[in-house]
Every structure is written in structure tokens, then in C-alpha cells.
Amino acid sequence: MIFPANLPCRSGQIISLLLLGIVMVPVTLPAEEHPLYLNSDQPVEKRVEDLLGRMTLEEKISQIHGDSKFSTAPIPRLGVPRRWLSDGPHGVREDVGPHTWNPAGRTDDFATAMPALSALGSTWSSELAFAYGEVIGEESRARGKDIILGPIADVPRTPLSGRIYEYIGEDPFLVARLSANYVRGVQSHEVAACIKHFAANNQEVGRATINMDMDERTLREIYLPPFEAAVREAGVWAVMGAYSRFRGEYCAYNDYLINKILKGEWGFPGLVMSDWSGTHSTPDPVFGGLDLEMGTLVPGSEDAQSYNEYYLARPFLEGIRNGQYPVSILDDKVRRNLRVMFATHVFDIRERGTLNTSEHRATARRIAEEGMVLLKNDADTLPLNPSRITSLAVIGENAVRRNAAGFFGAGVKTMYEITPLEGIVQRVGSNVNVTYSTGYSEQNGGTNLIERAVTAARQADVAIVVAGFNHSRSLDDEGWDRKDLELPYGQNELIQRVIEANPRTIVVLVSGPAIDPGPWLAQVPAVLQANYSGMEGGHALARVLFGDVSPSGKLACTYPKRLIDSPPHALDTYPGTNGTLFYKEGLLVGYRWFDTKEIEPLFPFGYGLSYTRFEYSALKLIPGTNAGQSIVTAEFEIANTGRRPGAEVAQLYVHQARPGLPRPAKELKGFQKVMLKPREKQKVSIPLDQRAFAYYDPAKKGWVAEAGEFKILIGSSSRDIRLQDDFHLAATTVGK
Ligand code: BGC
């Protein structure tokens, strides 16, 4: 370990608990035999107050800032352990540090590399979101982490966003459902999830300082709902502020966002932390609701001494001593930190956690499989039947590149990563001759690579080009947005040449959403968006390609025909003007824009093909079920009318006929994924509550569901509506 444990332990007790598979946090008991705060039978709030009352001013200050890149200081006198934080969101990050970003060089910090959150988004599965969180939670415990820095619940507004692969998708309802379940999964293992980056952080260009200017409805309807769900529904314990500014104030200590909305309206009891180096002064964070300062770079200092110089360390302490700040404001911050400690049982007997298990890998594989989106499949090119082909040309650097490790915080040090090529080779066995050619390369592109790939494609029954991005600069990495949506390194030319050589060419995309397939889409018969699919990605890909499982992913982001069709580009509001980002498109983010403005997307939100077919029927709207919670429940049937098992994501959109304030053409308000065998039929019920009909009315400071006419639209995608019915809402209500 980087730090000495510093805490004497009662070894006999620990060993016997270890045998039970349980780890006990060793504490030095204060002189008093049984202080209340160590009694786990006592309510959390009582324990918080008891411990707070025993702390000196200096000890309190020590709990609200980092003492290494990813920890806070222990208080040995009181048995307060050092708290460990770790990135998320795709797995428990490799340890760094303590005072640099360089890897710590440990051999016990391998973890399960889950598919990227954009893959999770494409699963449209709340169940898998919970399972994802559970893996992260269990592994956090096994790695001794107390707070995991994930999930990300930001809603991207431009497809150029450098971290779009870390985002779940463009619809706040979908993001809210999945991120809340991720949080529940994590926190079921006595680890705090930290939802980030609050709020509306969705581009990398200028992220450290850019000021976001948007109207209240846009904030409330698009960017806040995922955070609100995490707080109000899932009880998330930590929130990370975004780097950027909102209406002039930094998000991490923005009085309106943090004090008024998060802690005030939503009653968030947990802690707000800064993003790394996201704190810039003392007074604003003190009053703006920041509870934990992390990652500040103190000029000229990169060692342990600097932590005392953090804005919420010595400068705050001195300010309290000289009467500039009341102690009560410090107490509130400490209380929030302690509350999270007690809630996650850091003083109690705690779950030990498991790491790198076969169950975790199976979950990773399932999410990877269910997140893959079949974008095109002319003449049933897919699935491939290995007994009907003798040779396969696998082409492209992404077929052999291990993408799970990068980029930066979102990468995971994993014991292995099955590449697409490995997955395919293992799946087809020795009866199929698989050749590999690089085709394109980040380092040394060129026509030779293309010629060799073309020759291989010509000689094979089928060619599979594994294309896409790779987390290199500006190609899905933190700190840099993409420059455009084009595939780099001459991949377009490669794909065009390969398709000329072999009409049975399949393109597999490894990327976050979206890419521009421009010149080759019309010619290529099958295209699969495979995402960054984690350590089991190659297996998952092979299972989809060879039909062991039908693809069931649906796009969680619109693919535009041209970048200029996307709202911030159409309105020329990206990447901001003189340090300000005007959210001119307002509510019209993603499909809300394309549908309302009647712009044809390349692939719409919610779109994804299957190897089987689904029929929708028998829509009924049943008033007021679900224990009085819902206004109406939409009930309908889905039947698998094809010849293979498969899963379908049924999507429910609401359209209001004559809203009091302008609304998008339709808004997602429900979805359900159903697994069906051939000829199987299932009833689907989607309850709709007040919020499903409401828009945010800034004048009323609430969610208004207006009496009047609505349409309930049930679709296989946002542009493939299969069933619809009218619904009359009898009375206007205002919700909070
Ligand atoms: C990122 C956060 C991350 C933090 C710590 C920042 O650059 O924005 O998402 O948790 O670094 O690695």
C-alpha cells in the first residue's frame, strides 16, 4: 500500500472475520470504551453528530479535502479510516499515485473492464444497468475503495463530444433510468457511487472554464433529470461537480445548482466533491456547497505538503479562526462526509468484495452483446454460419487493438481483453481459415496496407472490417473533442476498396456514437456498431456475428446524416463564443431536434435491427393503475414472428397536442426490453406517472401536466412507431 495503514488492529478478531470472508476496518478505540458513533445499531444521524462532536477543528478540515490524488486523510485518534476514491465508470481504475497520475505499479489492481457506458446505454436494459453497478460495487470493495467516481449522467448535445463513449445517451429519461440503477447496483455493496459531472458537462473543448448559458426549462428537462433520479430515486451518496461554469459560477460550488436545487429542492444528504483541479478559490466553494475538494494543483508543488494548501484546507481553517467563516458551514460539510462514511459502513463490519470473477466477466460479456447495434443487414448477411464458410478475412487495426485500457481515467487495467480477432478465431474453430490484415493503422497508414487487405478480402468468403476510433487524441478521449465524425487513418478508402473486392463485407464499428459512414454505407451490406465493449468484447462480437445471440441494442444517440444537421452545429453554437456556450437549441437535443425540425437522421434514436422480427399489437390505455402512482398504463403485446430468439426494446413516446409552452414533437417516457423465443408473445405494461405528461414551467417552478390531448406512441425506434392511441388528461396538476 502507498500509505502505512496507521491503524493498529485487533488481529485475532480480524483473522476470524477474514475466514468468514469479511473484512473489519481496524480502529483504535478512544479511551472511552464504546463511543456511540462506533455502534452500528445506532441511527446514522446520531453517529454523525457523536463523531462530529469529538473532532477538533483541524480534524474536521482534514475530512473535506484530499490527502493524495485519490484519498482523504485518516484520523487515527478517532479510528476514522483513510477514504479511498477511484475512477469509474467502466471498472475500478488502476491505482496511481500517490501524488502523480503515473500508475502505482501494483500487481493487485487488475479489475473487470466493463463495456463503455455508451454500450450500456444501447442495451436499454435497467436490469443490466443494475448488474453493471453491482460488478463495480463488488470490485470496489475488493480493491478497498469507498467511493467510485461514476456513473456519468451527462447528456451529450454534440456527437463530437470527446467523452461521448462514457455517456449513456442523449435522452434524459433513458439516462436517468440506467444511471439510477447503476447507482443502486454500486451502493448495494456498501460503496458510495459518485454521479458526475453535475451538471450539463458535455463537451471537452473549454471544459475547465466555459460558461453554460441555457434557459431554465432546458436545465430542468434535459440536463438535470438523470441527477435528480440518482438523488431522489436511487439515493446516491456523492455528486461530482462539473469543471465548467453555469450562469457564471463554477458548477462544483454553484449556489443555484448545489445549494438551491441539489441540496434544497431534492434534499440531497450526501457530499458534493469537485472534479480534479475543479476548485479555484476559498470563499465561493465554502458558501457554494462544495464538501470535498479533490485534485487541486497547488502551483510549484506536487507532493504531500501541497494538500494543506488546498482552498478548503489551511485557507479555510484560517478564515474560520479569524471569523470570516462560521464553523457551522464547516460542520455541514463534515457532516455530509461522515454521513457517507456511516452509510457505507466504513466503521462497521463490511463486505469484502470480489474481483475479476467469472460472474463479473459474464456480466461484462452480456452487456457487450446486448449493447451491440445492428445498423444494416441487407439480405440477411448476418448472422454468419461458420459451417457454410471456409475462409474469413478479418481486417483493421481495431480487430487487434485492446481499447479497454484507455483512455485515462475511464480505462481499466484488465487481466485480459478479448479482441475482435481473438473472439472470431475462438468462435469459428479450425474449419474456417481466418486471415488478418491491418488494413489501416494509426502509426503507419498507406496503400500497402490497403492492398494487402484487399487481396485477403478477395480470397476469402467473407470480409470483416473492424473500424472506428481508438481513444487517441480527438478520437474518443477526455480533454479533446472529435474534430468531425469521419473515420481516421484512411479507413473510408480501405472499406470502399474491400467492398469492391468482396461484396460480402461486414463493417464492425468500435467507437462511441456517432460516426459518418459517408462513402461506403450504401455498398456495405451489413454494419454493426460494437462500441468499446470491454474485456469480453471479442467474445460478445463473435456471438453476435455468428448468431449465438441476436443483436438487441438500440441507438441511445441519433446518428446524423451530416454533422451540420445536429443542433449545436446547425445553430453554430459549438464550441462556444468568447468563453460562453449558448444552448440555443434549448430542449431540442438529439431526436427532439430531428423530429421537431423534421430532419431525416442517418440512423434514428432507438434504432437497431435484429435477426428476428417483432410484431406489436393490442394497445390499451388503462387508467390509474400501479397503486395510484400512475395516471395511465399502456398495455400492449409483442410477438416474435421470426425464427430466432431475440430481445426487443419497446419504446413509449408522449406527444402533447397543444401544450401551453412549446414542446418537442415527442419525448421518451417509458421503455421495456423483452426477450422472446420464436412465436412467443408477451404482454408489456408501461405505467405513466404525472411527470410523463409534464413539462417544466419556470413561472410555476414546477412540472405541469396540462389537461388536454396527448398521443401515446409505441415504437421499435423513435422513427418506427408501431402503435398509437389518444389519451385525454382530465385535470391539470403541478408536480415538484
Ligand atoms: C475527470 C473525472 C475523473 C477525475 C479523476 C477528471 O479529469 O473529469 O471524470 O473522475 O478526473 O480522475
Side-chain angles (χ1 to χ4, degrees):
M1 211 64 201
I2 298 152
F3 290 96
N6 226 356
L7 303 167
C9 57
R10 293 159 290 174
S11 50
Q13 196 179 358
I14 297 238
I15 287 164
S16 57
L17 289 170
L18 275 176
L19 291 173
L20 292 172
I22 290 166
V23 162
M24 175 92 182
V25 175
V27 298
T28 312
L29 283 176
E32 178 190 340
E33 268 294 291
H34 296 292
L36 186 148
Y37 72 92
L38 285 180
N39 181 350
S40 58
D41 293 335
Q42 290 290 331
V44 164
E45 291 308 308
K46 276 197 161 178
R47 298 175 77 185
V48 168
E49 292 310 316
D50 185 58
L51 179 52
L52 186 70
R54 297 165 191 267
M55 293 167 80
T56 65
L57 205 53
E58 290 77 4
E59 285 167 345
K60 289 178 184 175
I61 286 282
S62 76
Q63 295 306 295
I64 63 165
H65 65 85
D67 80 328
S68 84
K69 276 271 184 267
F70 285 99
S71 65
T72 62
I75 309 175
R77 180 181 81 83
L78 295 170
V80 176
R82 171 168 277 117
R83 273 180 300 170
W84 290 101
L85 296 78
S86 171
D87 278 307
H90 301 146
V92 188
R93 182 185 178 174
E94 171 182 28
D95 282 354
V96 298
H99 312 303
T100 86
W101 288 109
N102 296 331
R106 300 170 62 114
T107 52
D108 59 354
D109 56 354
F110 293 91
T112 300
M114 301 296 284
L117 283 189
S118 58
L120 177 67
S122 312
T123 68
W124 289 61
S125 168
S126 303
E127 175 209 336
L128 288 180
F130 183 81
Y132 194 123
E134 279 211 288
V135 170
I136 304 289
E138 282 188 6
E139 299 211 345
S140 298
R141 283 307 315 125
R143 291 268 308 276
K145 309 299 181 192
D146 303 294
I147 303 180
I148 190 85
L149 307 178
I152 297 184
D154 297 311
V155 173
R157 66 193 273 271
T158 163
L160 296 186
S161 173
R163 297 181 82 172
I164 199 162
Y165 74 102
E166 290 188 69
Y167 297 165
I168 290 171
E170 72 186 20
D171 179 84
F173 182 83
L174 177 64
V175 180
R177 301 285 77 72
L178 300 196
S179 53
N181 264 11
Y182 179 121
V183 167
R184 287 187 182 101
V186 167
Q187 296 195 164
S188 68
H189 291 282
E190 304 181 321
V191 173
C194 175
I195 198 149
K196 62 188 187 183
H197 311 85
F198 187 67
N201 183 170
N202 46 40
Q203 73 180 46
E204 296 302 287
V205 175
R207 69 171 179 168
T209 54
I210 198 130
N211 182 33
M212 297 178 290
D213 185 305
M214 73 179 82
D215 62 74
E216 191 66 19
R217 274 189 79 197
T218 301
L219 175 71
R220 299 284 184 158
E221 292 190 31
I222 304 293
Y223 298 104
L224 291 189
F227 293 96
E228 185 180 1
V231 172
R232 290 180 141 173
E233 295 170 28
V236 73
W237 279 114
V239 172
M240 184 190 292
Y243 281 126
S244 37
R245 289 177 296 141
F246 175 80
R247 297 182 190 156
E249 287 177 8
Y250 282 104
C251 290
Y253 38 92
N254 184 295
D255 182 59
Y256 185 58
L257 291 178
I258 308 283
N259 290 334
K260 303 280 187 316
I261 298 181
L262 177 69
K263 295 180 178 176
E265 284 178 37
W266 302 345
F268 175 62
L271 69 89
V272 174
M273 72 176 77
S274 65
D275 200 342
W276 272 234
S277 327
T279 314
H280 308 86
S281 64
T282 299
D284 291 345
V286 164
F287 294 111
L290 184 67
D291 306 307
L292 180 59
E293 177 187 3
M294 295 301 299
T296 301
L297 291 178
V298 177
S301 174
E302 261 287 300
D303 60 27
Q305 301 310 312
S306 68
Y307 301 103
N308 199 33
E309 297 307 314
Y310 272 28
Y311 297 103
L312 291 189
R314 189 188 51 77
F316 186 23
L317 181 65
E318 281 176 6
I320 292 175
R321 286 200 177 120
N322 66 29
Q324 193 182 349
Y325 311 113
V327 181
S328 59
I329 213 159
L330 169 63
D331 283 351
D332 178 62
K333 296 179 195 303
V334 179
R335 230 176 238 124
R336 288 171 178 279
N337 279 274
L338 297 183
R339 199 173 280 138
V340 177
M341 289 191 223
F342 287 115
T344 51
H345 303 287
V346 304
F347 295 94
D348 310 326
I349 293 172
R350 218 173 166 196
E351 180 186 317
R352 187 177 185 185
T354 52
L355 197 59
N356 296 313
T357 64
S358 52
E359 287 80 13
H360 293 176
R361 290 168 186 160
T363 303
R365 194 195 74 193
R366 197 173 148 210
I367 292 168
E369 274 169 25
E370 292 205 24
M372 290 186 187
V373 185
L374 185 59
L375 297 174
K376 186 174 178 190
N377 195 21
D378 285 356
D380 291 338
T381 304
L382 288 173
L384 298 171
N385 184 342
S387 60
R388 297 230 181 107
I389 50 176
T390 55
S391 56
L392 202 54
V394 178
I395 297 163
E397 197 171 61
N398 266 345
V400 295
R401 185 164 173 135
R402 295 180 210 280
N403 280 305
F407 175 81
F408 201 51
V412 181
K413 179 167 143 190
T414 174
M415 285 163 94
Y416 66 82
E417 178 181 347
I418 305 296
T419 63
L421 180 63
E422 287 165 348
I424 289 167
V425 168
Q426 287 177 28
R427 174 61 183 81
V428 297
S430 52
N431 292 337
V432 180
N433 178 34
V434 181
T435 61
Y436 170 68
S437 27
T438 310
Y440 73 87
S441 158
E442 178 181 7
Q443 303 299 340
N444 316 297
T447 43
N448 273 349
L449 292 184
I450 295 185
E451 293 312 327
R452 281 202 288 273
V454 166
T455 306
R458 192 172 293 125
Q459 289 164 357
D461 292 338
V462 175
I464 301 177
V465 184
V466 187
F469 300 154
N470 55 16
H471 302 310
S472 293
R473 177 156 298 176
S474 293
L475 297 171
D476 294 336
D477 72 340
E478 186 180 328
W480 304 85
D481 286 339
R482 297 166 173 183
K483 292 195 177 61
D484 51 42
L485 299 180
E486 269 189 37
L487 293 177
Y489 320 131
Q491 292 182 68
N492 283 338
E493 188 192 341
L494 168 73
I495 295 170
Q496 273 175 301
R497 293 286 315 281
V498 169
I499 184 74
E500 279 161 28
N502 188 335
R504 285 186 80 189
T505 291
I506 294 148
V507 173
V508 172
L509 295 168
V510 174
S511 75
I515 67 112
D516 178 3
W520 48 262
L521 182 64
Q523 287 102 56
V524 173
V527 183
L528 180 73
Q529 171 53 271
N531 312 304
Y532 296 106
S533 49
M535 70 190 292
E536 279 289 321
H539 284 147
L541 175 65
R543 282 170 54 79
V544 170
L545 291 176
F546 294 98
D548 304 325
V549 62
S550 286
S552 62
K554 302 271 189 172
L555 293 181
C557 286
T558 305
Y559 280 42
K561 279 194 172 149
R562 306 166 310 162
L563 182 61
I564 195 79
D565 291 341
S566 287
H569 304 281
L571 299 172
D572 200 16
T573 65
Y574 170 89
T577 312
N578 298 329
T580 296
L581 197 53
F582 297 98
Y583 284 59
K584 274 195 207 154
E585 71 284 359
L587 301 170
L588 301 185
V589 173
Y591 69 90
R592 287 167 164 76
W593 167 267
F594 286 83
D595 288 357
T596 309
K597 300 282 179 192
E598 298 181 351
I599 300 167
E600 196 63 34
L602 181 64
F603 297 114
F605 176 76
Y607 168 85
L609 303 172
S610 168
Y611 295 154
T612 189
R613 285 187 309 278
F614 301 98
E615 270 176 22
Y616 288 64
S617 63
L619 174 62
K620 275 189 283 189
L621 300 181
I622 303 165
T625 48
N626 199 17
Q629 287 299 300
S630 61
I631 290 182
V632 63
T633 294
E635 259 187 31
F636 52 96
E637 289 176 353
I638 303 184
N640 180 347
T641 55
R643 273 179 284 162
R644 288 171 175 273
E648 168 71 336
V649 178
Q651 301 156 40
L652 186 155
Y653 298 87
V654 169
H655 163 83
Q656 184 174 358
R658 284 171 296 279
L661 293 178
R663 294 186 74 165
K666 60 168 120 51
E667 297 163 41
L668 183 77
K669 296 297 173 186
F671 60 89
Q672 198 169 312
K673 190 165 191 171
V674 286
M675 177 72 208
L676 295 168
K677 297 195 202 83
R679 288 176 299 284
E680 199 186 349
K681 190 188 253 191
Q682 198 176 304
K683 188 159 88 181
V684 177
S685 292
I686 303 182
L688 297 173
D689 58 11
Q690 194 265 358
R691 190 64 87 84
F693 293 94
Y695 59 79
Y696 188 84
D697 185 342
K700 298 199 169 70
K701 292 194 173 20
W703 291 86
V704 178
E706 285 173 323
E709 305 310 318
F710 290 82
K711 269 198 190 326
I712 308 296
L713 311 163
I714 310 290
S716 177
S717 87
S718 61
R719 292 275 173 131
D720 181 9
I721 301 302
R722 304 287 184 88
L723 304 169
Q724 54 177 289
D725 204 351
D726 296 328
F727 178 70
H728 175 78
L729 188 60
T732 298
T733 51
V734 183
K736 284 294 162 194

